[in-house]
Structure formats: C-alpha cells, structure tokens
Amino acid sequence: MRGFLIVGNNAVSDPFNLNDLPGNGRMDILCRFVAQSLFISHGIRRDVEVYLLLLGNPDRPKAIKISGRYVKGMNPDERSIGGLINKALSITSTDKWVKSTPGIFVSGKDLSRLLTEISDEKIYNTMAYLREDGADIRYFLKKEMDKMNNNIFFILGDHLGLKDDEERVVLDKTYNIVAIPTVSLQADQCVVIVNYEFDLLDAAKNTSY
Ligand SMILES: C[S@@+](CC[C@H](N)C(=O)[O-])C[C@H]1O[C@@H](n2cnc3c(N)ncnc32)[C@H](O)[C@@H]1O
C-alpha cells in the first residue's frame, strides 16, 4: 500500500463552483494530485490511497479519503475529480469517515487527528514528509524496502508548502524528511516520481535471474 496526503491550506471545505477550480483555494492542485496519484494509462493504481486535507474557507477542516481499490466513476480529468470531491463536501461531516461515493469518504478530521488515525491503524509501516531539503528519496526507499517496509505514507504540501505549525504536527509523527533531487516541484509531479520509483522497485523484485 502507498498513501499520499496533500495539505490544501486554502482549499475550500464547502461545495464549490466546478468552473473555477483555481479560485476555490487551488482546488485544481488537489484534483491534479488525485489524478497523478491514482491513474495510469487505462487504469487505476489499486494499491494507492489518496488523502486531501481542506483547510480553507469556511475554516472548518475536512479530510477526504479516496481508495484506489474501491473508487468508481472517476476519470482522470480535473473536472471529473472535482465533481466527486464536490459531492463529498455536500455531506455533513463528522469525526468519522462517511462514504460519499464508491471508494470516497469524508470526515471533519484535522491534520493531527488524521495522522494519529493513520499511524494507529498500522496499515503503513512508515510515514515520510516530502520536503525539498530532505534525504534523497531513493536511499530512503531502498532502506525501507530492505526492511520489507512496502507500505509507506507520504505527506506533501500544496503551492504554499506546509506552515510551521503543520510541520510540527507532521514531525511529531515521523522523523523521515525525504526529497526528490534536485529542484522544487509541484506536488502532483512529486507523486508521479514516487510512483515511478515504486514501479522500478516492483519491476526489480519481479525480475528473476
Ligand atoms: C510547490 S511545492 C511547495 C513550494 C512552496 N513554495 C514551499 O516552499 O514549500 C509543493 C510540495 O511538493 C513537495 N515538493 C516539491 N518539490 C519537492 C522536492 N524536490 N522534494 C520533495 N518534496 C517536494 C513538498 O511537499 C512541497 O510542499
């Protein structure tokens, strides 16, 4: 399993106008993030979960979970993904996950509660915070694979990165800060590279000599 979380600092947590994804707290970034986490050519990565944290107006955090294994009716374009996020946001959220559409769940969890739940569930062996000045991701992944830790949860920022208080919450859960050398990328570009690194590791594992 592989999990990706993006912290949407300004992303609205109420239903929004699908004709203006950027104007709703950069919902376009989150939609691209979902697309690049999940979609391959003519298919979906069934071993990936995507989490969106929406911290913008009206200042009532919401978290959305999208399970690659169960999601249905999603296309890779931003509008299709935005439509499904919109549907989830129309549900009154509570502390618990509520199913919106197949494979898509919404809750009122904030960053701290979300990360606590994810570490308590123990689905993931480890968490990593993606930040430009971290340790090279290839060394990190090799080290984790050597320990047979295939289930990794990655935390990323949006166009604003993570704020200091958000970083503190993340670093309370993990010491792993990892980077994709050598330039600062967009969050969705990062997940493409992380998925690719896993694909290479899988291919190497499946090659017998
Ligand atoms: C567009 S970047 C954020 C840039 C923002 N101005 C900042 O300084 O944090 C979006 C997110 O992608 C991740 N990211 C971008 N480039 C990265 C890199 N080279 N290595 C690791 N993570 C990266 C980080 O999580 C970052 O918060």
Side-chain angles (χ1 to χ4, degrees):
M1 281 294 290
R2 184 143 83 247
F4 294 112
L5 163 68
I6 184 166
V7 177
N9 285 292
N10 294 339
V12 296
S13 59
D14 268 353
F16 52 90
N17 179 357
L18 278 179
N19 292 325
D20 187 15
L21 295 174
N24 281 284
R26 298 304 311 268
M27 197 58 79
D28 59 316
I29 293 177
L30 274 60
C31 293
R32 283 196 292 278
F33 186 81
V34 173
Q36 300 307 340
S37 301
L38 289 179
F39 284 93
I40 51 175
S41 178
H42 301 295
I44 287 188
R45 292 181 184 274
R46 298 291 174 192
D47 58 347
V48 170
E49 286 185 332
V50 191
Y51 289 79
L52 312 175
L53 190 62
L54 313 163
L55 300 177
N57 285 332
D59 197 19
R60 193 181 50 235
K62 280 190 190 163
I64 292 181
K65 171 163 69 166
I66 306 173
S67 157
R69 177 171 303 172
Y70 298 112
V71 72
K72 284 202 174 84
M74 180 185 275
N75 294 313
D77 62 286
E78 291 172 32
R79 201 179 167 84
S80 161
I81 296 167
L84 290 169
I85 293 174
N86 229 352
K87 222 173 204 170
L89 293 181
S90 67
I91 293 173
T92 307
S93 59
T94 66
D95 200 35
K96 299 220 162 22
W97 292 109
V98 177
K99 184 173 166 185
S100 164
T101 48
I104 303 188
F105 305 83
V106 62
S107 79
K109 294 178 203 295
D110 61 12
L111 182 61
S112 174
R113 280 185 292 158
L114 181 61
L115 294 184
T116 299
E117 174 184 286
I118 286 162
S119 46
D120 288 352
E121 276 176 353
K122 304 209 182 311
I123 292 172
Y124 297 97
N125 310 112
T126 186
M127 283 189 185
Y129 169 31
L130 274 165
R131 198 176 72 186
E132 288 85 335
D133 60 351
D136 189 323
I137 189 161
R138 285 163 297 184
Y139 295 117
F140 166 75
L141 287 181
K142 174 151 189 352
K143 198 175 60 158
E144 294 301 320
M145 295 303 143
D146 286 347
K147 290 189 278 180
M148 308 297 279
N149 287 347
N150 298 324
N151 303 321
I152 305 181
F153 188 82
F154 296 92
I155 300 152
L156 296 94
D158 60 2
H159 61 301
L160 302 174
L162 255 58
K163 295 184 180 154
D164 290 348
D165 56 329
E166 293 164 348
E167 269 206 342
R168 273 195 292 277
V169 172
V170 169
L171 296 176
D172 191 42
K173 301 284 179 218
T174 181
Y175 293 120
N176 299 317
I177 305 180
V178 297
I180 299 166
T182 58
V183 292
S184 184
L185 299 160
Q186 295 178 16
D188 64 310
Q189 297 171 328
C190 292
V191 288
V192 170
I193 293 172
V194 175
N195 276 331
Y196 174 66
E197 290 294 336
F198 274 92
D199 291 342
L200 288 179
L201 289 165
D202 282 345
K205 229 172 25 197
N206 296 330
T207 306
S208 48
Y209 291 100

